[in-house]
Amino acid sequence: MSRAFVKGGDAIAEAAIRAGCRFFAGYPITPQNEIPEYFAKHLPEAGGSFVQGESETASINMVFGASLSGTRCMTSSSSCGISLKSEGFSYLAAARLPSVICSVQRGGPGYGSIKPAQSDYLQATKAAGNGGFKMIVFAPSTVQETIDHIYEAFDYADKYRNPTMVLLDGVISTMMEPVVFPEPLTEEQVQAIKDSKTWALNGKKAGDKKKLITGGATEQSNMECAEMYEYWAEHETRAEEYLVEDAEFILTAYGTTARVARAVVDTLRKEGIRAGLIRPILVNPFPYKSFAKLDYSKVKCVIDLEMTIPAQMIEDVKLGVLGKAPIRTVLRSCGEVMTDDFALGGVKKIIEEY
Amino acid sequence: MEKVIKRPSTIPENAISGFCPGCMHSTVNKLIGEVLDELNVVDRTVEIICIGCGTLNLKYRENDQAVVAHGRACAVATGYKRCNPDKLVFTYQGDGDLASIGIAETIYAANRGENISVITINNAIYGMTGGQMAPTTMLGQKATTCPNGRDFNDVGAPVHMMDILNTLKAPVYLERVSCNTPANIKKTKAAIKKAFEYQLAGKGFSMVEVISNCPTNWNLSPLKTLEYMKEHNLKEFPLGVVRDRGGEIK
Ligand SMILES: Cc1ncc(C[n+]2csc(CCOP(=O)(O)OP(=O)(O)O)c2C)c(N)n1
Ligand code: SF4
């Protein structure tokens, strides 16, 4: 363990290197440039390879190549760059190749705005590329949690042989916080992980069968993946439930917005209003159960806070609430960051109606 | 008695080629197999296959392979090779894959001097998708998406990838070959071998472009395609070494 005061972007890259990431390819885009810059400086020191790709499309396909070798590998990008990488995400999912994708959301659509936002929730969780595949999507809300999630994401990617996403917004990637880093894997451990991937391409040895990894799919492979997604829904959901037992007003938010929502809950509680928070820690699989198990004889309203207009996570919140309570929204977008005051004001206005 | 001619070990007895009769994709695949055996490198070879008729070889080739997104073979090969520098990594790509949708990936892999070998089949047409215009379609040549023949004023002239790569500093070896005569088949094999040897010696990026045919989509018999090639493709894309700096690099 080592303590540090770091910027989110640097922390992401450092956590990845400690987790044994030995290949990174990416293309510059604000607000995530600290990530490739840190890799460019420090990945070679760790015996890895950094490539600035000629485009996002090329970069994600380089990651595909790295993963074919069994090497732990990663890319990062933001919104319109993530769109260009969607081709590669789909191929990684088809080929069942592990890899970690860090998506630092900015405003959208189009080139949107370079400022922080949460505009790509639906893309990340429902259709990050063609073909109906899914990824586990972490949604950390502090720099520390981001470090922990990046570190863990490599294990998840390897365990499920699937691309795994860490979904942030530009606030976390550019913010500085005191953190504790996990111990780096030793070179022997990194090599052992690579060697353990018996499916990786290494050249056909005499007497062995050839290995073929393709970006294709069959009904059989679709069914296997569907089974895996169902398993995730059953066993991998993660959410923070804060003061929800007696709550009349359930706030829900992820990432940076969840920090603000938590502060709003604390303020409301001090004023005697029974508010609580459900914070999805993974946004896919979504913690529907956290909403399903609420005591709806008490809940007057569910309030969804997001930094995107129109709201996106609300689609999942609806599936959790199933019409048992009204759902309202407090929203900002395109870099108009959700401040404590704006959120408190918006939430209070809604509460007054109930 | 010693067996002088035998099947490449990577193309087993019962293997069935997916290529149309008379297509030079078949010949090139056989030559690659022979070279891998002669260099004794099957156990360290990873082939990155394009999307296109090249993909048809995955049904019968017996070496490790990956089939990747259309046009991205050079990017995938870059990622793989950097993680496993001791492997022999080659891409097998159609000209649409290489020079249209994948033109950026190809140019930048070449410009970085990635230590990989690119084998590309220039058949002047999109074979797999049924005969649409390719970046290499001859002026005047008909294709399903240029039914009146390729018109310079509308879509420009055939793209010469070799010459584009020849403007870059890093590539080590660039040669254009064909499989239209026995002598040229021998030269194609020698070129593939040289590209692989350079890679094994760590010299850097090579590309071998095979001027090829597509009897099915040219609507010509295999023999007639040879005449057409002589009249058109081989004039547009003259054979020979475009660059060979293998001797200069240690
Ligand atoms: C992204 C994407 N676009 C289009 C296609 C359809 N497609 C498959 S092969 C091909 C072109 C094949 O032509 P070429 O690369 O010249 O190879 P050939 O089949 O002639 O050997 C196309 C356009 C695809 N598979 N993926
Ligand atoms: S369609 Fe053309 S390029 Fe493809 S296998 Fe048949 S002849 Fe060869």
Side-chain angles (χ1 to χ4, degrees):
Chain A
M1 298 284 171
S2 56
R3 291 179 180 283
F5 184 62
V6 287
K7 204 171 175 181
D10 294 348
I12 289 164
E14 177 60 29
I17 295 171
R18 285 171 182 250
C21 176
R22 290 296 177 268
F23 184 85
F24 179 96
Y27 186 83
I29 183 168
T30 307
Q32 59 83 58
N33 291 321
E34 292 78 4
I35 304 172
E37 284 164 5
Y38 192 97
F39 273 114
K41 196 159 173 211
H42 297 288
L43 195 50
E45 293 164 6
S49 182
F50 165 87
V51 188
Q52 176 170 328
E54 55 273 24
S55 67
E56 283 85 356
T57 316
S59 303
I60 191 66
N61 280 286
M62 289 173 193
V63 167
F64 185 104
S67 190
L68 285 174
S69 76
T71 302
R72 282 193 159 179
C73 51
M74 174 170 162
T75 189
S76 67
S77 193
S78 179
S79 300
C80 42
I82 288 289
S83 283
L84 277 181
K85 284 189 172 138
S86 63
E87 169 188 281
F89 303 159
S90 179
Y91 275 77
L92 286 161
R96 300 296 301 273
L97 288 173
S99 47
V100 172
I101 299 139
C102 183
S103 167
V104 184
Q105 302 169 85
R106 55 189 242 176
Y111 70 77
S113 131
I114 61 167
K115 292 192 238 157
Q118 295 182 312
S119 55
D120 305 320
Y121 177 92
L122 289 172
Q123 185 188 33
T125 58
K126 309 299 174 206
N130 64 294
F133 70 94
K134 286 183 190 296
M135 297 184 279
I136 286 183
V137 183
F138 289 86
S141 73
T142 63
V143 176
Q144 180 66 57
E145 202 178 25
T146 305
I147 289 171
D148 298 341
H149 285 177
I150 289 278
Y151 198 84
E152 245 184 305
F154 284 95
D155 290 334
Y156 271 74
D158 284 348
K159 179 176 174 192
Y160 292 113
R161 283 190 59 183
N162 205 63
T164 301
M165 183 176 269
V166 179
L167 182 70
L168 306 170
D169 52 66
V171 176
I172 295 175
S173 69
T174 50
M175 169 166 73
M176 288 191 83
E177 282 189 316
V179 297
V180 178
F181 280 108
E183 281 305 319
L185 296 186
T186 63
E187 261 336 288
E188 293 71 40
Q189 287 170 318
V190 173
Q191 189 60 42
I193 289 169
K194 184 171 176 180
D195 294 342
S196 72
K197 296 178 184 171
T198 50
W199 47 262
L201 301 187
N202 279 308
K204 184 185 102 70
K205 307 291 172 281
D208 284 358
K209 279 190 160 172
K210 83 160 181 193
K211 286 182 206 142
L212 172 67
I213 295 182
T214 83
T218 59
E219 188 179 54
Q220 180 61 30
S221 72
N222 286 163
M223 290 193 298
E224 283 164 17
C225 287
E227 213 170 281
M228 175 169 76
Y229 306 150
E230 276 164 31
Y231 181 88
W232 295 351
E234 204 51 46
H235 300 281
E236 296 289 11
T237 57
R238 238 191 262 184
E240 178 188 350
E241 295 162 6
Y242 180 59
L243 304 177
V244 293
E245 275 81 30
D246 64 341
E248 293 180 341
F249 297 96
I250 298 287
L251 276 59
T252 183
Y254 74 97
T256 305
T257 313
R259 293 170 76 141
V260 178
R262 199 180 218 271
V264 170
V265 168
D266 288 339
T267 309
L268 293 173
R269 282 276 168 178
K270 273 186 207 139
E271 295 176 12
I273 298 168
R274 288 207 288 272
L277 171 71
I278 296 176
R279 174 174 79 92
I281 297 173
L282 296 186
V283 286
N284 189 64
F286 190 81
Y288 297 110
K289 276 183 215 147
S290 297
F291 293 89
K293 71 180 187 206
L294 291 172
D295 181 354
Y296 285 99
S297 66
K298 294 196 185 109
V299 176
K300 292 185 176 160
C301 182
V302 175
I303 304 168
D304 172 52
L305 295 91
E306 299 187 56
M307 290 198 291
T308 181
I309 297 173
Q312 299 188 34
M313 189 175 81
I314 194 168
E315 309 283 343
D316 280 325
V317 175
K318 280 181 192 163
L319 290 174
V321 175
L322 288 172
K324 289 180 218 145
I327 302 169
R328 303 287 297 273
T329 56
V330 176
L331 309 173
R332 301 231 71 182
S333 77
C334 265
E336 302 309 327
V337 173
M338 184 79 73
T339 58
D340 289 4
D341 286 349
F342 181 91
L344 184 63
V347 169
K348 274 191 161 170
K349 227 170 127 189
I350 293 168
I351 288 175
E352 279 163 18
E353 295 179 30
Y354 293 90
Chain B
M1 221 176 5
E2 198 203 343
K3 223 176 175 181
V4 191
I5 298 175
K6 55 181 182 201
R7 302 178 71 90
S9 70
T10 49
I11 304 181
E13 289 287 341
N14 54 354
I16 298 169
S17 150
F19 303 117
C20 306
C23 176
M24 291 177 196
H25 265 298
S26 286
T27 324
V28 178
N29 266 278
K30 190 187 84 179
L31 298 179
I32 292 170
E34 287 176 3
V35 171
L36 293 179
D37 284 344
E38 283 169 24
L39 297 174
N40 195 20
V41 288
V42 175
D43 64 355
R44 56 191 281 206
T45 296
V46 171
E47 175 183 6
I48 309 296
I49 314 175
C50 69
I51 300 289
C53 284
T55 321
L56 297 168
N57 83 7
L58 67 86
K59 295 241 167 82
Y60 74 101
R61 291 296 299 278
E62 277 295 317
N63 46 262
D64 278 6
Q65 295 171 307
V67 184
V68 309
H70 189 33
R72 316 298 177 217
C74 280
V76 174
T78 296
Y80 183 86
K81 181 75 181 188
R82 285 186 176 227
C83 293
N84 278 353
D86 58 329
K87 305 297 178 195
L88 179 84
V89 182
F90 72 94
T91 69
Y92 186 85
Q93 303 177 253
D95 54 82
D97 192 87
L98 178 104
S100 186
I101 192 167
I103 190 165
E105 284 76 3
T106 309
I107 290 176
Y108 276 89
N111 194 50
R112 288 188 302 266
E114 297 294 342
N115 189 26
I116 58 173
S117 317
V118 173
I119 299 171
T120 180
I121 308 298
N122 173 351
N123 60 7
I125 200 97
Y126 277 13
M128 173 60 91
T129 39
Q132 297 82 6
M133 187 183 71
T136 49
T137 296
M138 299 293 111
L139 286 177
Q141 185 187 341
K142 286 185 178 161
T144 57
T145 49
C146 54
N148 300 320
R150 183 177 188 146
D151 176 3
F152 175 80
N153 292 317
D154 186 26
V155 292
V159 172
H160 289 226
M161 209 51 193
M162 276 288 177
D163 300 323
I164 292 174
L165 296 194
N166 200 26
T167 64
L168 308 174
K169 286 226 165 71
V172 173
Y173 171 52
L174 305 169
E175 182 167 355
R176 223 188 255 126
V177 293
S178 185
C179 288
N180 62 328
T181 66
N184 278 343
I185 290 173
K186 271 179 105 173
K187 283 189 192 162
T188 300
K189 181 171 165 183
I192 293 170
K193 195 166 187 178
K194 185 183 269 187
F196 287 2
E197 281 172 338
Y198 280 179
Q199 183 186 153
L200 292 166
K203 290 181 193 277
F205 185 92
S206 297
M207 182 162 97
V208 176
E209 177 182 16
V210 186
I211 305 304
S212 193
N213 63 347
C214 175
T216 303
N217 290 299
W218 289 6
N219 293 314
L220 294 173
S221 71
L223 280 178
K224 281 260 165 27
T225 63
L226 301 184
E227 287 169 28
Y228 186 90
M229 284 173 72
K230 216 168 155 192
E231 270 312 299
H232 300 92
N233 310 55
L234 293 168
K235 283 185 181 156
E236 178 73 30
F237 297 107
L239 305 184
V241 176
V242 174
R243 174 187 295 189
D244 185 353
R245 294 188 180 155
E248 300 163 28
I249 297 166
K250 292 262 155 51

